[in-house]
C-alpha cells in the first residue's frame, strides 16, 4: 500500500504563510499605498493657506504637519518650523484639529486594499497549494476547495492495447476474466438467458504479479474505455471529498458504459469499518459507504464492470465482498516455473537475446520471483550487456541480473580477509552438503562467495525440481537441518561460530514454529491451531492464539526441534568431512561453484 501522507502539517504550514503575508501587507504596504496621494508642500504654502483660511483638518506631529484643504479632498504634508503662534493662527483660520491619516476620498479603494486583495492572495495561494498537492498525488485528483467536483482525469482510452497475450502465465485468472470480455462483446447473449454479470471482481495476490496488467488487458480485449484510480486517491483531507469523488467516478463511468473501472489498492478505502482503535476514520468510512451505495445503485447489466486489486483480502470489509458487490475473487498468484519462463520470454521479446539462452534454466534460478521482478531481471540483463558493449543479451547476463535483483550488486571493493572467505565458503558448502545428503540430488544451481550490496557475503541459488504443493514432516525437518548446516560446518571446522548465520537462525525458527503451531506436526498439540496468520501475501508474522502456558511449551518444542536438526546436520557433515573440505576448497579458490561441479566432486570418490 502506498503511504498516504497526513495532509495536516502542510495545510497548517500554508495557512501560516497566508497569515504572515496578510500581516506584512497590513503593516507595510497598506500605509505606503494610502500615503501615495499625500502632496508634499513647503512651509510657505502652508502659511499662505492659513492666511486664506483654506485649511480643513490639521494634525501637528513632532516631525511633520499633515493637513487637508477645506473640502478635505487632498492631504498635504509639510515640515515643522519653530512657530509659537501656529496653533493660535490655525485656530483662527477655522481648521479642525483632528487626525489626518488616510486619504479620505476613495473608500472604495481602501476597502479594496484592506479586504479584497488579501482574500485574493489567500485564494491564489490556496490554488497553488491545491496544485502542489495534486502533483504529489500523481496529478490525478484535484481538490477545488470544497466546491465539490473532482476534475479527476481517470479516463484512459483502451487503445493502449494491452492484451491477454501480453500477460504471461496466470492462465486461471485469464480464464475467469475471459467471461467478462465475452460479456462486454456480446451482452445480449447474457441478458437473453437472464444472467447478469458480477458487478465487481476482486483480483487478489502479492504485489507485482500483474493485477493491473490483467485489468488493462480486459479493457484492451473488450475494446472498451478503462478508468483507473487508486484506492488511496479517494482518501482526501476533507470529509466528504472522497465520497464525492466516488460519485463522480461512477457518473463518468455510466456515461462511457460499457467500460471497465479499475480500483487499485482497494484496501485503502475498503478496510473493515471500525476496526481501528480510534473509532474509525470518518472520511474513509463515508467513501466506502458511497462506493457500496454506488455499486448497489446500478443494475447488473449497465455494462460497468468494476475490477479491484488488493494484496490484503483479509482486511476488506465484509460488506464489500458480499454477493452483489465484489462477489467474484480471482487469485493472481506468484508464477510457477512454467509461468516464470513464459514471463521471461514475453519480456525478452523487447530486447535482443542470444539464440542459445535457455529460459527454463533462468526461470529455475529465479525461484519465488514475481512478474515485476522478472521484468526487472530482463531489463537489468540488457543494461549489463550494454555496459559490456554488447547488443545481444547472453544467459550469463540473465544469471547475473537475477543475483542483482535478488541479492544486490556485486560489491567489488569489499575485500574479505582470507580467513573470512574460508569461513563463508565452509558455511555455504555446509548448507549445500547437508541438503544434498538428505535428498540425493543437487541442492543448488550455483553458489558464489562474492559479497553483495545487500550485505550477503555469499549467495546460493536454489533449484526447484518441480512445483511442490505438499511438504511432508520429514522434508520440513530436513529443511531445518539444511538451515543449520552453515553454522554446523563452522563449528566442525573452525571450532568457532560467527554472526553469519543470523538469517539461517531466523528461517529455521520460523519453520520449526510453524510446524508445531500451524501444521500440527507435534504429538503434544496434535491438530490444534495455535497461531493465526493475518496476511498470506505480505508474509507478515502469525499471531499466537493460546494461553501463556502453552506458549512456553511451544517455545520449548521449537528449541528441541531445532537442536535435534542441528545435531543431525553436524553428524552428516562429520561423516562427509572429506567432501566438505574438497568442496569448500573448490569454492574458496574459484569463488563460484555450479550445481554440476558440486555433484561431480560429491560423487567423484564414490562412483
Ligand atoms: P500488480 O498490479 O499485481 O502489483 P502490475 O500489473 O503492476 O502488478 O505488474 C507490474 C509489472 O510487472 C508489469 O508492468 C509487467 O511488466 C510485469 N509483469 C507482472 N506480471 C506479469 C505477467 N504475468 N506477464 C508479464 N509481465 C508481468
Ligand atoms: Zn547460512
Amino acid at each position: 500500500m502506498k503511504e498516504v501522507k497526513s495532509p495536516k502539517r502542510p495545510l497548517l504550514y500554508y495557512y501560516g504563510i497566508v497569515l504572515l503575508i496578510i500581516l506584512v501587507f497590513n503593516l507595510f504596504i497598506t500605509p505606503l499605498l494610502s500615503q501615495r496621494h499625500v502632496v508634499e508642500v513647503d512651509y510657505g504654502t502652508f502659511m499662505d493657506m492659513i492666511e486664506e483660511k483654506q485649511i480643513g483638518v490639521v494634525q501637528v506631529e513632532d516631525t511633520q504637519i499633515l493637513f487637508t484643504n477645506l473640502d478635505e479632498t487632498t492631504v498635504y504634508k509639510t515640515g515643522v518650523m519653530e512657530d509659537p503662534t501656529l496653533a493660535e493662527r490655525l485656530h483662527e483660520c477655522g481648521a479642525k484639529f483632528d487626525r489626518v491619516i488616510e486619504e479620505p476620498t476613495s473608500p472604495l479603494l481602501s476597502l479594496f486594499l484592506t479586504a479584497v486583495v488579501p482574500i485574493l492572495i489567500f485564494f491564489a495561494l490556496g490554488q497553488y497549494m491545491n496544485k502542489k498537492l495534486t502533483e504529489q498525488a500523481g496529478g490525478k485528483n484535484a481538490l477545488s476547495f470544497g466546491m465539490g467536483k473532482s476534475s479527476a482525469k481517470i479516463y484512459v482510452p483502451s487503445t493502449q492495447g494491452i492484451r491477454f497475450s501480453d500477460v504471461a502465465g496466470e492462465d486461471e485468472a485469464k480464464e475467469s476474466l475471459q467471461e467478462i470480455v465475452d460479456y462486454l462483446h456480446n451482452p445480449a447473449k447474457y441478458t437473453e438467458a437472464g444472467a447478469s454479470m458480477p458487478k465487481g471482481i476482486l483480483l487478489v495476490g502479492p504485489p507485482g504479479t500483474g493485477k493491473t496488467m490483467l485489468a488493462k488487458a480486459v479493457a484492451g480485449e473488450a475494446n472498451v474505455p478503462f478508468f483507473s484510480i487508486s484506492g488511496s486517491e479517494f482518501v482526501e483531507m476533507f470529509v466528504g471529498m472522497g465520497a464525492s469523488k466516488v460519485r463522480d467516478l461512477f457518473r463518468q463511468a455510466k456515461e462511457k458504459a460499457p467500460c471497465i473501472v479499475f480500483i487499485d489498492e482497494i484496501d485503502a478505502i475498503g478496510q473493515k469499518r471500525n476496526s481501528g482503535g480510534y473509532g474509525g476514520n470518518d472520511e474513509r468510512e463515508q467513501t466506502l459507504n458511497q462506493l457500496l451505495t454506488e455499486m448497489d445503485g446500478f443494475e447488473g447489466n449497465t455494462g460497468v464492470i468494476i475490477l479491484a486489486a488488493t494484496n490484503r483480502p483479509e482486511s476488506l470489509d465484509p460488506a464489500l465482498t458480499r454477493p452483489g458487490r465484489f462477489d467474484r475473487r480471482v487469485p493472481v498468484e506468484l508464477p510457477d516455473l512454467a509461468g516464470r519462463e513464459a514471463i521471461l520470454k514475453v519480456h525478452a521479446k523487447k530486447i535482443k537475446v542470444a539464440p542459445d539462452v535457455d529460459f527454463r534454466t533462468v526461470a529455475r534460478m529465479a525461484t519465488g520471483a514475481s512478474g515485476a521482478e522478472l521484468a526487472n531481471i530482463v531489463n537489468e540483463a540488457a543494461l549489463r550487456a550494454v555496459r559490456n558493449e554488447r547488443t545481444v543479451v547472453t544467459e550469463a547476463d540473465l544469471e547475473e541480473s537475477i543475483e542483482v535483483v535478488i541479492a544486490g550488486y556485486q560489491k567489488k571493493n569489499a575485500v574479505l580477509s582470507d580467513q573470512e572467505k574460508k569461513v563463508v565458503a565452509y558455511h555455504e558448502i555446509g548448507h549445500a552438503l547437508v541438503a544434498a545428503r538428505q535428498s540425493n540430488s543437487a541442492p543448488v544451481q550455483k553458489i558464489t562467495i562474492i559479497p553483495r550490496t545487500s550485505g550477503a557475503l555469499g549467495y546460493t541459488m536454489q533449484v526447484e525440481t518441480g512445483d511442490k504443493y505438499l511438504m511432508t514432516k520429514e522434508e520440513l525437518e530436513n529443511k531445518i537441518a539444511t538451515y543449520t548446516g552453515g553454522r554446523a560446518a563452522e563449528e566442525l571446522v573452525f571450532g568457532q561460530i560467527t554472526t553469519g548465520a543470523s538469517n539461517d537462525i531466523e528461517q529455521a525458527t520460523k519453520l520449526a514454529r510453524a510446524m508445531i503451531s500451524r501444521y500440527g506436526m507435534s504429538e503434544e498439540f496434535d491438530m490444534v491451531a495455535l497461531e493465526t496468520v493475518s496476511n498470506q501475501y505480505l508474509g507478515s508474522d502469525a499471531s499466537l492464539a493460546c494461553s501463556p502456558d502453552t506458549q512456553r511449551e511451544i517455545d520449548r518444542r521449537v528449541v528441541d526441534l531445532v537442536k535435534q536438526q542441528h545435531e543431525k546436520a553436524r553428524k552428516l557433515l562429520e561423516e562427509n568431512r572429506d567432501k566438505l573440505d574438497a568442496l569448500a576448497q573448490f569454492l574458496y579458490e574459484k569463488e563460484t561453484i555450479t550445481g554440476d561441479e558440486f555433484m561431480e566432486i560429491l560423487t567423484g570418490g564414490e562412483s
Side-chain angles (χ1 to χ4, degrees), residues 427-428 431 483 486 500-501 504:
H427 179 105
E428 296 301 333
H431 285 306
Y483 282 130
D504 303 334

Side-chain angles (χ1 to χ4, degrees), residues 162 166-170 205-214 262 264 309 311 332 335 339 342-344 346-347 350 370-376:
I162 291 187
D166 296 318
V167 186
E170 307 297 353
T209 45
K211 296 184 289 297
T212 311
M213 245 185 138
L214 277 166
F262 178 60
D264 204 358
N311 42 36
V332 186
I343 293 172
L344 282 171
V346 163
H347 287 280
K350 297 171 204 157
S370 70
E373 278 169 327
L374 289 167
N376 195 7

Side-chain angles (χ1 to χ4, degrees), residues 373-441:
E373 278 169 327
L374 289 167
N376 195 7
I377 283 168
V378 172
N379 190 50
E380 279 287 340
L383 289 175
R384 191 178 121 104
V386 173
R387 265 201 301 278
N388 296 342
E389 278 151 25
R390 278 179 284 118
T391 50
V392 176
V393 172
T394 65
E395 195 167 318
D397 290 329
L398 285 162
E399 284 177 25
E400 170 61 23
S401 67
I402 289 173
E403 293 172 49
V404 166
V405 169
I406 295 171
Y409 285 94
Q410 287 187 3
K411 230 184 194 168
K412 289 265 163 54
N413 52 357
V415 187
L416 288 186
S417 74
D418 218 37
Q419 177 66 12
E420 281 172 333
K421 208 167 136 190
K422 226 176 240 165
V423 172
V424 174
Y426 269 101
H427 179 105
E428 296 301 333
I429 293 294
H431 285 306
L433 191 56
V434 170
R437 275 301 175 226
Q438 291 174 139
S439 71
N440 293 315
S441 65

Side-chain angles (χ1 to χ4, degrees), residues 7-8 11 143 145-148 234-245 247 280-290:
K8 261 191 190 135
L11 197 64
L143 134 98
F145 262 109
M147 282 158 198
F234 285 119
V235 183
E236 290 284 1
M237 71 179 96
F238 296 127
V239 173
M241 288 301 298
S244 97
K245 200 169 256 186
R247 265 195 301 278
N281 175 336
D282 264 357
E283 160 64 356
R284 200 172 54 210
E285 227 165 83
Q286 277 203 16
T287 310
L288 176 58
N289 284 339
Q290 187 62 42

Side-chain angles (χ1 to χ4, degrees), residues 151-163:
S151 51
K153 242 209 233 115
I154 22 194
Y155 171 66
V156 183
S158 63
T159 43
Q160 282 197 341
I162 291 187
R163 312 301 293 254

